[in-house]
Amino acid sequence: MTIWQHPAEFPSLKNQQVHLWRANLTLSNLKIEELMTYLSPDEVVRANKFRFAQHKSRFIAARGILRQLLGNYLEVSPCSLTFTYSDRGKPQLPQNSLLQFNLSHSEEYGLFGFTLNHLIGVDLEYQRAMPDALKIAQRFFSDREFKMLTEVPQEQQPRLFFQ
């Protein structure tokens, strides 16, 4: 079981450490407006492309919280951060930064991972019914993972799929 703590002060990140932060992305309109002020113009454009207000708010919350966390680690204003983007759209800090990060969000939660000198990936998925889980697993999972999924009873497959 993972115990999520609320630190009294912002922790410093040391070599060989990984920091994980979890956040609820369903926030008040006032908080969303505050977080929106941290975003870059391209992030604002991206946020405004969401069709549903709830999805827009969650995007703003995830990016705003990411900028707050990065700003704390780097001891800079969240507004001053600039990102480059990988060919898959993953935000990253400019080449000279030792701080590596990744974020994932699903439904109302966001997960943020940070480390020094090592690439990091985090993934968060809302568990839901997946009628096409086997088709997705066959395409994207390793042969071993797909075989494991097909060998459990059908009622256990959705949970194992997300694990």
Side-chain angles (χ1 to χ4, degrees):
M1 179 168 127
T2 302
I3 299 172
W4 294 92
Q5 301 172 3
H6 298 274
E9 59 185 46
F10 199 85
S12 63
L13 185 60
K14 296 173 182 58
N15 264 335
Q16 306 301 316
Q17 285 186 333
V18 173
H19 288 185
L20 291 176
W21 298 83
R22 177 189 62 174
N24 190 318
L25 304 178
T26 303
L27 304 172
S28 70
N29 289 338
L30 190 62
K31 187 64 178 174
I32 293 296
E33 288 174 21
E34 175 192 336
L35 292 171
M36 181 91 155
T37 66
Y38 298 159
L39 304 188
S40 66
D42 66 298
E43 289 170 317
V44 172
V45 166
R46 189 167 164 201
N48 286 326
K49 288 183 180 181
F50 284 95
R51 182 175 177 189
F52 299 106
Q54 182 180 53
H55 298 154
K56 176 181 177 178
S57 293
R58 288 177 179 165
F59 174 83
I60 293 167
R63 283 302 180 94
I65 292 167
L66 171 66
R67 285 177 165 276
Q68 282 183 316
L69 291 168
L70 285 168
N72 283 327
Y73 281 117
L74 298 169
E75 299 178 354
V76 299
S77 165
C79 306
S80 70
L81 295 166
T82 57
F83 296 130
T84 58
Y85 293 91
S86 72
D87 56 350
R88 293 185 161 221
K90 178 185 180 286
Q92 49 203 19
L93 294 169
Q95 294 282 20
N96 60 352
S97 177
L98 301 177
L99 180 64
Q100 298 293 315
F101 68 93
N102 192 241
L103 74 145
S104 178
H105 47 92
S106 185
E107 296 296 318
E108 71 269 18
Y109 287 102
L111 185 66
F112 308 84
F114 300 88
T115 190
L116 296 174
N117 300 313
H118 299 284
L119 295 177
I120 183 171
V122 295
D123 191 28
L124 180 68
E125 286 292 334
Y126 179 76
Q127 289 191 15
R128 60 197 179 282
M130 294 285 296
D132 54 351
L134 286 178
K135 187 188 291 186
I136 292 170
Q138 188 171 24
R139 181 170 177 201
F140 295 105
F141 289 15
S142 71
D143 291 339
R144 184 178 70 76
E145 291 168 331
F146 178 69
K147 186 174 186 276
M148 283 174 38
L149 189 61
T150 61
E151 290 175 346
V152 299
Q154 189 172 2
E155 65 273 2
Q156 294 176 12
Q157 288 177 355
R159 183 165 186 239
L160 184 59
F161 176 88
F162 286 106
Q163 288 177 333

